[in-house]
Amino acid sequence: MLNTGLLILTNPSRITTLLPVINKHVLKTLYIQYLPEKHLVTPENHSIILPKLSYYAQIVANIYKVASNNCSRLDIRILLTHIKNPAFTIINTKSPVEIIIFDQIYNTKIVDTFIQDCLANRSEGCSYITLDSEQNDEKCSNIDEYSTKDSQTYKNVVLGGTFDRLHNGHKIFLSEAVLYCKEKLTVGITDTNMLTGKLLWELIEPCSKRITDVKDFLEDVDSSLTYDIVPINDMYGPTKDDPTFEMLVVSEETKRGGDKVNSLRLEKNLNKLVIHEVKLLVDENHGEYEESKISSSNQRMRLLGKRLGKPINKDKPLKPYIIGLIGGIASGKSSVIEKVQKYNAGFVNCDKIAHDLYLPGKECYQAIITHFGTGVLDADGFINRKALSNIVFNDKEQLNKLNKLMWPLILEEAKKKIHELYIEGYNIIFMEAAVLIQANWQNECHEIWACIIPPEEAIKRIMKRNVLSEDEAKKRIEMQTNNIDQIREANVIICTLWDHDFTQKQVQNAWDELKTYLSQQSAD
C-alpha cells in the first residue's frame, strides 16, 4: 500500500463503491479532485457551465459522509481550488502523490499530459489505476444541482470551534467556509478556559496543535486564500470587533451563538453578518453513550482502554511486567482491579500497605505520633486515619511531611510484595498507587494506567462514600494529582463515569492490547 493517493472524481455518485476499493491501495491520505466538467485537460474554447456553490457544498458533505462510514482511517482531503476557479488547473498538494486513481478511462496520452502538466507534487515513480464504470451519468441522491440556496461569495468569512482531532464533520464545516470565501478566512480555536464543560475535556489536544492541524488542512484544500487561525477565550472571539467580516459559518448546534454575535455587533454599530448554517454529520457507527453525530467527544471516548502510543519503560526486564494504576479518590481504581484480577494478574495495593504501616510496632507508627501528637490515636491506641486525614487534607505542609515519611516505606514494601507475587507465578502485576506521580515512582513501572472521572462526579462519590461535606470533598480532590497530569503520564486511560459494563469493555480492550504487545516483545 502507498501512503498518499489522489482520486480524480468525475461522478460523485460512485464514491460509495470507489472508496472501499481505494482503501486497499492507500494507507494514509487520499486527496480528491472533483472535475464536474469530466475533462482532465479542458479543450480550448470549451465553455463550462457549473452549478452553484451550494451544490458543491452538498457534494463535498456527501463524500465526507461516505468516507466516515467506509474508510474512516483515511485522511480524506477534497481539493477546492479548482471547484471555485475551474481555470486554475494546477493540483498542488502538501504531501507528494504516489498513486492516482481515475474513475473513468482516458487514453494514455491524456493521462500522461495531465500528470506532467497538472500535478505539481508527485513522488518519483507515481503510478495510476483506473476504476471504471458505465454509470458515469448518475446523479447523487438527495443532492439538488439547481439548489436555490445562496451561492454568493464573501471577501472575509469567519467561523469558530474546538476542532479536536480533526474529523470529517470538521472538514465539512471548514470546506463550506472555504467555498464561500474569496479572500480571507478567519478561524477561532477555543482555548483551555472554554473546554472544561466538554466530555473528557482533559483528553482534548493542546490549542497549538489544533491550530496547526486546521491550518494544515485549509492550506492543503485551497491555497488561494489567506488564513488567520487564532485562539479564542470567549464565544465571540474576533467577531465582536472586526468590521471586515461579512459571513459567519455556524453549525446546527451553534446557530444561537451566531445570533448572539450579530446582536453584539449591532450594539457596537458593526455590520450584521450573513449566517451560513452547516448541517451536522450523522455518525452511523456511534456506540452506546456516544453522540449520534460525528464528534470529537466520540473520538475521545474511543481512546478509552486504548494504548496511547506513549513510550513504555524498556529499561526493566519484561518479567514481572509492572503496571502502575493511578487515579484520584473515588475514580474507580478498585473496580478496574477487580476486573483485571479475573485475568490472573497480580495486585499490590499501596493504600493497604500504608494502612499496615500505621499499625502499632511498625516503623512509622511512633514517627506519626511524634510529629502529629496523640490526638491522632483512637481509644485502643491505633492511628485514627480519619483524624489524621482531617489534619493533612486541610494543611498541605502537613500532608507533605506525612508523605515524606510514608512514601519510601510504602515503595520498599511494594517491591517486596511484587517479588513475592512473581515467585508465585504472576507475570503481570498491577501496583495501585494514587500517589505514584507525586512520589515519582514512574520508573518503577513498565507502563501506567490512569482511572479518571470528572471532578464533580468524584465529589459526589466522596460525599456519599465518606459522608463528607461538599467543601471537605473538594479539599481532598484539590490535594491530589489532577486528571491532566495523570493523563500526561498514562499509557492507558480508563473512565468509570458510565456503568460497569462499559468499564469492563475498556479494561478488556486494554488487557487484550497489552497481551498482544507482550507477545510481540517476546517474539522479538
Side-chain angles (χ1 to χ4, degrees):
M1 294 179 73
L2 299 170
N3 286 325
T4 307
L6 169 65
L7 169 62
I8 303 300
L9 183 67
T10 62
N11 180 11
S13 69
R14 293 197 58 218
I15 196 68
T16 302
T17 56
L18 288 170
L19 284 179
V21 179
I22 294 170
N23 205 28
K24 299 176 182 178
H25 294 275
V26 180
L27 186 62
K28 293 182 179 179
T29 304
L30 176 66
Y31 292 104
I32 298 178
Q33 179 64 72
Y34 176 40
L35 297 180
E37 63 273 24
K38 303 187 188 306
H39 294 284
L40 286 185
V41 181
T42 305
E44 292 184 12
N45 302 320
H46 176 74
S47 61
I48 303 171
I49 301 175
L50 297 176
K52 293 184 177 182
L53 284 179
S54 54
Y55 168 72
Y56 291 129
Q58 294 176 76
I59 292 290
V60 168
N62 188 64
I63 292 173
Y64 280 123
K65 177 183 177 182
V66 172
S68 295
N69 296 326
N70 289 276
C71 52
S72 57
R73 68 171 180 79
L74 281 180
D75 177 10
I76 305 288
R77 299 191 171 202
I78 302 172
L79 304 174
L80 303 174
T81 306
H82 179 82
I83 290 178
K84 295 169 63 178
N85 182 9
F88 194 89
T89 58
I90 303 299
I91 299 174
N92 194 4
T93 58
K94 285 196 170 186
S95 299
V97 173
E98 297 170 279
I99 184 170
I100 307 171
I101 303 101
F102 297 98
D103 72 344
Q104 62 173 295
I105 295 174
Y106 301 95
N107 68 52
T108 303
K109 182 178 179 181
I110 288 179
V111 169
D112 290 343
T113 300
F114 172 79
I115 294 174
Q116 185 66 37
D117 296 347
C118 300
L119 194 54
N121 188 12
R122 60 186 184 276
S123 66
E124 186 176 348
C126 177
S127 60
Y128 73 89
I129 59 174
T130 299
L131 303 176
D132 187 39
S133 171
E134 296 178 357
Q135 302 173 347
N136 280 335
D137 293 324
E138 290 184 5
K139 300 290 184 183
C140 285
S141 60
N142 301 320
I143 295 182
D144 180 10
E145 185 171 354
Y146 304 102
S147 170
T148 57
K149 286 181 66 178
D150 182 23
S151 285
Q152 180 182 345
T153 55
Y154 301 84
K155 284 186 177 181
N156 292 297
V157 176
V158 62
L159 72 158
T162 303
F163 298 104
D164 179 40
R165 293 177 171 82
L166 200 67
H167 54 66
N168 286 340
H170 293 142
K171 292 176 182 179
I172 293 172
F173 193 38
L174 292 167
S175 295
E176 290 209 21
V178 169
L179 284 172
Y180 286 94
C181 184
K182 289 193 291 187
E183 293 184 6
K184 181 181 178 181
L185 177 61
T186 300
V187 184
I189 309 290
T190 52
D191 213 340
T192 306
N193 69 308
M194 295 185 69
L195 304 179
T196 54
K198 294 182 177 293
L199 179 66
L200 298 172
W201 72 270
E202 299 94 339
L203 288 171
I204 293 176
E205 295 171 317
C207 186
S208 58
K209 185 179 188 309
R210 289 179 279 129
I211 287 175
T212 298
D213 289 349
V214 168
K215 186 175 183 181
D216 175 78
F217 172 78
L218 290 172
E219 291 177 344
D220 218 0
V221 299
D222 185 3
S223 58
S224 69
L225 297 178
T226 297
Y227 297 107
D228 188 18
I229 320 296
V230 297
I232 57 174
N233 293 293
D234 59 57
M235 66 171 288
Y236 300 103
T239 62
K240 59 179 174 285
D241 48 29
D242 192 322
T244 66
F245 292 145
E246 298 171 324
M247 171 185 269
L248 173 63
V249 180
V250 299
S251 71
E252 293 176 87
E253 291 182 327
T254 59
K255 175 65 167 61
R256 287 186 178 180
D259 294 336
K260 290 182 179 179
V261 165
N262 270 335
S263 295
L264 180 61
R265 288 178 68 87
L266 291 176
E267 289 176 12
K268 294 188 170 189
N269 295 318
L270 295 172
N271 59 303
K272 183 178 180 181
L273 302 179
V274 174
I275 302 292
H276 178 76
E277 183 179 331
V278 179
K279 291 183 178 180
L280 297 172
L281 186 59
V282 174
D283 187 347
E284 296 182 4
N285 301 311
H286 71 89
E288 188 179 12
Y289 303 115
E290 293 183 350
E291 296 179 314
S292 59
K293 64 174 183 176
I294 288 180
S295 70
S296 298
S297 297
N298 288 357
Q299 293 200 7
R300 292 194 294 275
M301 285 189 69
R302 291 165 193 173
L303 292 175
L304 300 175
K306 300 282 187 182
R307 299 177 75 76
L308 299 180
K310 295 183 179 180
I312 305 294
N313 185 357
K314 294 186 177 181
D315 294 334
K316 297 174 67 65
L318 278 179
K319 293 183 180 180
Y321 195 84
I322 303 168
I323 299 172
L325 181 65
I326 61 176
I329 185 171
S331 63
K333 297 187 298 297
S334 299
S335 174
V336 172
I337 286 298
E338 178 186 335
K339 292 171 174 58
V340 297
Q341 284 185 300
K342 295 178 182 178
Y343 305 136
N344 199 34
F347 171 50
V348 173
N349 186 335
C350 289
D351 193 42
K352 175 66 166 56
I353 291 174
H355 282 213
D356 293 342
L357 290 173
Y358 286 148
L359 294 175
K362 295 290 185 179
E363 182 178 345
C364 66
Y365 175 82
Q366 189 58 48
I368 289 174
I369 296 173
T370 300
H371 181 77
F372 293 99
T374 56
V376 297
L377 297 179
D378 62 19
D380 297 319
F382 290 90
I383 291 176
N384 184 330
R385 296 186 75 236
K386 185 174 182 179
L388 183 59
S389 295
N390 287 337
I391 295 173
V392 298
F393 282 118
N394 285 288
D395 187 333
K396 197 162 188 177
E397 184 178 345
Q398 295 294 339
L399 178 62
N400 289 337
K401 288 180 179 178
L402 178 64
N403 290 338
K404 187 176 181 180
L405 172 68
M406 296 292 294
W407 285 349
L409 298 174
I410 294 172
L411 181 59
E412 181 182 352
E413 190 64 26
K415 287 181 176 180
K416 291 179 183 177
K417 292 186 178 296
I418 288 171
H419 180 70
E420 291 170 2
L421 287 169
Y422 180 53
I423 296 299
E424 292 175 20
Y426 291 97
N427 291 325
I428 300 174
I429 300 171
F430 283 80
M431 181 175 73
E432 179 188 343
V435 301
L436 187 145
I437 296 174
Q438 294 163 295
N440 200 27
W441 293 347
Q442 293 93 322
N443 289 334
E444 302 296 333
C445 309
H446 290 87
E447 64 181 73
I448 296 172
W449 291 16
C451 292
I452 64 168
I453 52 169
E456 57 271 18
E457 176 64 20
I459 289 168
K460 290 178 184 177
R461 292 182 184 183
I462 295 168
M463 291 172 64
K464 182 178 180 180
R465 188 186 72 182
N466 295 45
V467 195
L468 297 175
S469 69
E470 184 174 348
D471 285 342
E472 289 172 325
K474 284 181 178 178
K475 284 181 180 178
R476 296 204 174 189
I477 294 291
E478 290 167 358
M479 289 288 188
Q480 298 185 331
T481 305
N482 61 46
N483 286 345
I484 291 178
D485 289 338
Q486 294 189 69
I487 289 169
R488 190 178 293 119
E489 298 287 343
N491 303 95
V492 173
I493 308 295
I494 293 171
C495 181
T496 62
L497 181 61
W498 301 276
D499 64 25
H500 288 288
D501 287 343
F502 191 68
T503 301
Q504 177 62 51
K505 288 179 183 178
Q506 297 174 56
V507 174
Q508 180 69 59
N509 190 78
W511 181 262
D512 290 343
E513 291 191 2
L514 170 65
K515 296 294 286 185
T516 299
Y517 168 77
L518 292 177
S519 295
Q520 292 171 345
Q521 295 302 304
S522 298
D524 293 342

